[in-house]
């Protein structure tokens, strides 16, 4: 059960790479309809792709629920999944430091989420990972956060 | 995502991407990037028409850079928007491939590096 206050919308997805792409498009539509601006839309899409693919590839989740809640100056996105426990708020932010040929191809998601969200909070509740990501409206935001698409 | 490849007569391969470098976008261009990384001497990826870059798109770029660098080849990225550049700098991708404002600047930088590597004057 989400603790987000209305106005919010929520949608369930199977935890697959194909559904991650669909979820990405759905959240992008919500963010666009809310008039948050391109910068915020970019940040939300980036964080969602990271957390969804983590749940699928590393957490081996079966299902995920995404809830989007409008705020006066931004948006809150809750991502819940039934995969293995993982708290990205305490995971180290990896970065390539200095010129090298010996660098990892993946594992940069945590650092990106920390950089692109205003705040992240996590808890494990009723067998689900519950990650709450907060975003500010972008500099070019152009509408109030009172319009959400139907799921 | 659209991907246009221009092979120059100066050992330079110019890749122009257009669209969202998201899950679907990365899946559409992955295999072509893999081929280019195995065969190019110098690869410039033009991101000026890329409106979004996330996990799998970063992976595609990282994998290409690693393959190229291990072969002694070079890679650069040009034209990234503010948000796309922020992604690249946050991961440290700019440590392994230069970020440039436009194709001409990127191509010139790679030519100089190739010339220095082969002991010739740029």
């Amino acid at each position: 059960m989400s603790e987000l206050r209305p106005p919010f919308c929520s949608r369930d997805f199977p935890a697959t790479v194909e559904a991650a792409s669909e979820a990405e498009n759905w959240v992008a539509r919500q963010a666009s309809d809310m008039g948050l601006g391109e910068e915020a839309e970019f940040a939300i899409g980036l964080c969602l792709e990271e957390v969804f693919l983590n749940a699928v590839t590393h957490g081996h989740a079966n299902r995920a629920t995404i809830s989007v809640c409008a705020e006066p100056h931004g948006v809150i996105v809750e991502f819940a999944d039934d995969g293995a426990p993982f708290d990205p708020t305490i995971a180290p932010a990896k970065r390539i430091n200095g010129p090298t040929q010996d660098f990892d191809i993946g594992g940069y998601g945590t650092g990106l989420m920390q950089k692109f969200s205003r705040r992240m909070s996590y808890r494990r509740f009723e067998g689900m990972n519950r990650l709450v990501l907060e975003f500010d409206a972008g500099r070019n935001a152009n509408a109030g956060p009172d319009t959400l698409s139907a799921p | 995502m659209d991907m246009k490849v221009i092979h120059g007569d100066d050992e330079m391969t110019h890749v122009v991407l257009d669209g969202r470098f998201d899950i679907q976008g990365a899946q559409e261009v992955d295999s072509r990037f893999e081929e280019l990384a195995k065969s190019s001497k110098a690869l410039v990826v033009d991101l000026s028409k890329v409106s979004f870059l996330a996990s799998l798109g970063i992976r595609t770029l990282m994998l290409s850079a690693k393959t190229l660098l291990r072969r002694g080849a070079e890679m650069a990225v040009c034209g990234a928007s503010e948000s796309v550049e922020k992604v690249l700098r946050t991961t440290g991708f700019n440590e392994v491939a230069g970020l440039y404002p436009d194709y001409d600047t990127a191509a010139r930088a790679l030519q100089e590096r190739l010339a220095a590597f082969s002991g010739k004057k740029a």
Side-chain angles (χ1 to χ4, degrees):
Chain A
M1 188 72 174
S2 174
E3 293 177 350
L4 299 178
R5 297 184 303 274
F8 82 91
C9 57
S10 182
R11 188 169 159 187
D12 295 328
F13 294 90
T16 63
V17 173
E18 294 74 23
S21 188
E22 189 186 338
E24 198 168 53
N25 292 333
W26 179 75
V27 168
R29 269 201 314 278
Q30 307 308 314
S32 176
D33 289 351
M34 291 164 73
L36 295 168
E38 287 177 10
E39 198 177 338
E41 288 175 35
F42 189 108
I44 294 165
L46 172 81
C47 292
L48 182 78
E49 184 175 312
E50 293 294 345
V51 71
F52 206 124
L53 289 179
N54 270 344
V56 174
T57 57
H58 302 300
H60 306 292
N62 293 306
R63 63 191 173 90
T65 302
I66 301 170
S67 305
V68 182
C69 176
E71 281 192 313
H73 303 292
V75 64
I76 297 175
V77 179
E78 183 188 76
F79 183 89
D81 70 85
D82 62 352
F86 176 65
D87 181 357
T89 65
I90 57 169
K94 190 160 72 176
R95 186 181 188 280
I96 300 169
N97 288 310
T100 176
Q101 294 177 16
D102 187 27
F103 56 89
D104 292 333
I105 298 302
Y108 303 96
T110 302
L112 286 167
M113 287 195 288
Q114 290 169 358
K115 185 81 173 178
F116 278 79
S117 64
R118 178 180 65 206
R119 185 169 173 269
M120 290 200 299
S121 57
Y122 169 87
R123 69 186 174 125
R124 182 80 180 177
F125 182 66
E126 294 181 342
M128 304 280 284
N129 293 306
R130 293 182 180 277
L131 179 67
V132 175
L133 295 152
E134 299 177 22
F135 302 90
D136 290 321
R139 286 169 298 188
N140 53 350
N142 56 19
D146 55 358
T147 50
L148 290 171
S149 298
Chain B
M1 184 165 61
D2 289 334
M3 177 173 171
K4 187 176 168 187
V5 181
I6 306 155
H7 294 283
D9 51 9
D10 52 357
E11 297 187 306
M12 205 63 58
T13 303
H14 182 191
V15 174
V16 183
L17 298 175
D18 188 347
R20 289 174 62 84
F21 215 163
D22 54 11
I23 296 170
Q24 189 182 334
Q27 288 172 337
E28 287 167 355
V29 301
D30 247 357
S31 58
R32 292 180 73 192
F33 258 101
E34 196 179 333
E35 287 170 22
L36 288 172
K38 288 177 183 169
S39 58
S40 300
K41 186 86 176 165
L43 182 69
V44 178
V45 182
D46 188 335
L47 298 179
S48 57
K49 294 177 182 170
V50 169
S51 57
F52 180 74
L53 171 66
S55 184
L56 291 192
I58 299 161
R59 184 182 172 80
T60 299
L61 294 175
M62 291 268 189
L63 205 51
S64 299
K66 191 162 191 167
T67 304
L68 285 155
L69 291 173
R70 287 193 163 173
R71 290 179 43 244
E74 297 283 348
M75 180 173 175
V77 165
C78 70
S81 69
E82 193 178 331
S83 292
V84 168
E85 184 170 335
K86 186 174 167 184
V87 171
L88 297 172
R89 290 191 183 279
T90 301
T91 60
F93 182 79
N94 57 300
E95 302 281 6
V96 294
L99 309 185
Y100 299 93
D102 53 58
Y103 173 76
D104 289 342
T105 314
R108 202 159 46 241
L110 290 197
Q111 280 164 347
E112 285 170 5
R113 290 179 67 162
L114 288 174
F117 186 71
S118 59
K120 291 183 286 187
K121 282 193 184 270

